[in-house]
Structures are given as structure tokens and as C-alpha cells.
Amino acid sequence: MRLNGEVALVTGGGAGLGRAIVDRFISEGARVAVLDRSPAGLAALLETHGDAVVGIEGDVRVLDSHREVAAKCVEKFGKLDCLIGNAGIWDYSTPLVDIPDERLDAAFDEIFSINVKGYLLAAKACLRALYESKGSAIFTVSNAGFYPAGGGPLYTGAKHAVVGMIKQLAYELGPHIRVNGIAPGGIGGSDLRGPKSLDMDDTSISAIPLADMLAGILPTGRMATAEEYTGAYVFFATRAETVPLTGSVLNYDGGIGVRGLTDANRGALLDQHFVKEGAA
Ligand SMILES: NC(=O)c1ccc[n+]([C@@H]2O[C@H](COP(=O)([O-])OP(=O)(O)OC[C@H]3O[C@@H](n4cnc5c(N)ncnc54)[C@H](O)[C@@H]3O)[C@@H](O)[C@H]2O)c1
């Protein structure tokens, strides 16, 4: 149990990656507060974890929602050690040319408000509690925080902005609070939605055969599940093993940045050699 006695706050903990992080943190001995806009997601968390979680229904675009969950967290668990900003939406890789002129303002505002402002407001509301615990913040980025083609310009722009925000906050908040990011690639078991302003709020990424699409692209050979992504969050949330860690963002995406210009499965060469030599 690597997080015994620790207290975390996760935004978007009601589904997908956030839910897997909550489950993993509790299994590692932590207690967790969650801010999510989904009443069903929160109810399912309470049913599974009882007193080890506290859930607040609210929107990450609203500072008062973050204040409420931060206050509830400290009231119930006595402190906050680690903020995990994670709630987000995707633009379904909509290219600029396909965003209608009259919807561009609203789509930009919606995606940046949830994916960037949502993190900034979470940090603001948790500042004092994290200062008092000498804690840390972890923000979920994406491969789109580094490379194109993981979204359209709105999502990619927003995730790049998150990387900048992490670096600036790490600079501003040290030595009291460490600030880092984790940049996953495609996530199995996600229910990632799109912006309402583009009529995509009922569209779920689960309808896309992402695992099949990524299998031939990723150097790791397959898309990871939400559960398989949680190990880095546990590590980043530990104290003793992360003393030098701030302002960094982990590429945790199956190797998207190193797939090169040819086919991803260069390791097939190893099969050829070793099978030929009778070593496999
Ligand atoms: N799914 C992927 O393939 C993928 C890849 C890379 C990065 N990410 C990032 O991972 C993070 C988690 O995404 P996921 O795939 O688990 O999505 P998800 O939709 O499965 O879970 C997101 C959770 O956030 C909540 N949420 C969304 N908007 C909210 C708002 N305005 N206020 C409060 N709660 C809100 C949802 O209700 C949901 O419970 C996001 O930041 C996303 O950009 C996802």
C-alpha cells in the first residue's frame, strides 16, 4: 500500500481514467475526494468505496465547485495531499475547416474552459490545503499536449496550454507544492465526450474502434486500459520517491513520439532474427 494515509482529490473521477485512478488510489490506502458532473458516476463510486470517498457534483468550469470539493475533502479527511486535475472533453479531431464560423467561439470557450481553466481553478481552490500539506498536483495531459493528430486544433491547443500551465505552476509554487503532468495516449474503457457546442456531448469515444486503430501505430503494440495507466499516478503521488520531481510531464502514450516515419512494428525484425536463429 504505497499511499497509506494520503488524501487525493480527483476531478472527473466518475468515469474512465479518473475512475480507475480513484479505484487504484483507494486500493493503495488513500482516501479520495471527487468532483464530477455525473451524478451516476458519483453514485457508483460511493456504492463501491463507501467512506473512503467523498463526491461532489459540479462543473469544473466553476470555481465554487472546486472550493466546495476542496472544503469537503479537508472536512472529511483532515487534509489534501495530492490534487489530480483530470476531467476533460475531446474535440473528436474536428479540423478547423469543419468548425462552422458561428460555432467557433463557443467551441473554443467550451474546450478551453473545461480542459485548461478547469485545471487552473482546481489548483486555485486547493492552493491553501496543498501548501499546508506540502503536497503536489498532477494534471492529465495527453499525447495531444506534444504532437498533432491526437485531436483537432482546439483539443491539441488546449492540451499544449496545460503543459505550459504545469511548468509555470511548478515554478511559482515551489518549494511548497510540486506540480507535474502525465500524458496518456488512447485509453481503453474511456467514455470521453465531445463539446455540446459542436453537438458532440452525447458522442462517446467508446464508439470508435480505438484499440484496433492504435494497435498498428504504437511501438508498444497495443492501447493500454485505464487501469494500466494508473501506476504513474501512484508513483507521482508518492512523497519519498519523488523528491526531485516537479515541472515534468511524463510521455505515457505507448511511444507515439518515437514511432518514426515507417511502420510502428520495427520489433518484427527481432522476430525474424531470433526465430531464424532458433532463440524464440
Ligand atoms: N480517452 C482517451 O483516449 C484519452 C487520451 C489522452 C488523454 N485523455 C485525457 O484523460 C482525461 C480523462 O478522460 P477520460 O478518457 O477518462 O474521459 P471520461 O469521459 O471517461 O471521464 C471524464 C470524466 O470527467 C467528467 N467531466 C467531464 N467534463 C466535466 C465538467 N465540465 N465538470 C465536471 N466533470 C466533468 C465526466 O463526467 C467523466 O466522469 C481527460 O483530460 C482527457 O483529455 C484521454
Side-chain angles (χ1 to χ4, degrees):
M1 302 252 271
R2 299 172 67 193
L3 298 176
N4 237 343
E6 299 285 309
V7 176
L9 190 165
V10 181
T11 71
L17 176 60
R19 171 67 202 247
I21 293 168
V22 176
D23 293 346
R24 177 74 188 268
F25 271 47
I26 290 174
S27 78
E28 296 281 354
R31 287 163 297 163
V32 185
V34 173
L35 173 63
D36 203 294
R37 67 181 171 187
S38 160
L42 291 169
L45 271 175
L46 284 176
E47 198 181 319
T48 306
H49 295 299
D51 269 356
V53 293
V54 60
I56 294 292
E57 186 184 331
D59 193 310
V60 294
R61 291 169 284 190
V62 179
L63 181 59
D64 277 349
S65 294
H66 293 283
R67 284 199 181 118
E68 191 184 345
V69 70
K72 209 58 195 173
C73 177
V74 173
E75 182 191 313
K76 189 164 163 85
F77 301 134
K79 59 173 181 165
L80 170 62
D81 298 294
C82 183
L83 162 67
I84 300 179
N86 168 78
I89 58 170
W90 188 37
D91 65 0
Y92 281 80
S93 292
T94 310
L96 184 60
V97 69
D98 284 344
I99 304 173
D101 288 5
E102 66 281 8
R103 293 192 183 203
L104 185 52
D105 267 353
F108 178 93
D109 287 351
E110 188 176 0
I111 289 179
F112 274 72
S113 292
I114 294 176
N115 290 10
V116 186
K117 190 172 79 177
Y119 287 177
L120 204 61
L121 297 182
K124 180 78 170 159
C126 294
L127 265 186
R128 186 177 184 97
L130 292 173
Y131 171 81
E132 285 173 354
S133 69
K134 286 250 173 220
S136 75
I138 304 167
F139 295 102
T140 298
V141 188
S142 162
N143 50 286
F146 293 89
Y147 317 112
L154 298 180
Y155 186 75
T156 303
K159 289 297 185 180
H160 273 65
V162 169
V163 172
M165 189 204 72
I166 288 167
K167 292 177 182 173
Q168 179 66 27
L169 290 181
Y171 163 71
E172 281 185 21
L173 305 181
H176 307 290
I177 304 166
R178 295 174 303 105
V179 183
N180 295 289
I182 293 171
I187 300 170
S190 160
D191 185 35
L192 194 61
R193 301 299 175 102
K196 191 175 171 59
S197 49
L198 295 178
D199 297 328
M200 292 174 174
D201 48 325
D202 286 331
T203 309
S204 170
I205 198 171
S206 58
I208 298 175
L210 208 56
D212 296 339
M213 289 162 60
L214 291 176
I217 289 176
L218 299 176
T220 51
R222 72 166 173 88
M223 183 170 85
T225 63
E227 293 71 26
E228 288 171 322
Y229 277 109
T230 59
Y233 289 84
V234 173
F235 171 69
F236 273 49
T238 60
R239 289 173 180 271
E241 293 177 274
T242 54
V243 170
L245 189 70
T246 198
S248 70
V249 182
L250 177 67
N251 292 111
Y252 203 39
D253 57 17
I256 290 173
V258 295
R259 65 177 297 270
L261 299 174
T262 56
D263 59 299
N265 188 12
R266 300 301 291 165
L269 277 176
L270 296 182
D271 293 334
Q272 286 170 23
H273 278 276
F274 294 146
V275 169
K276 207 174 2 175
E277 291 165 13

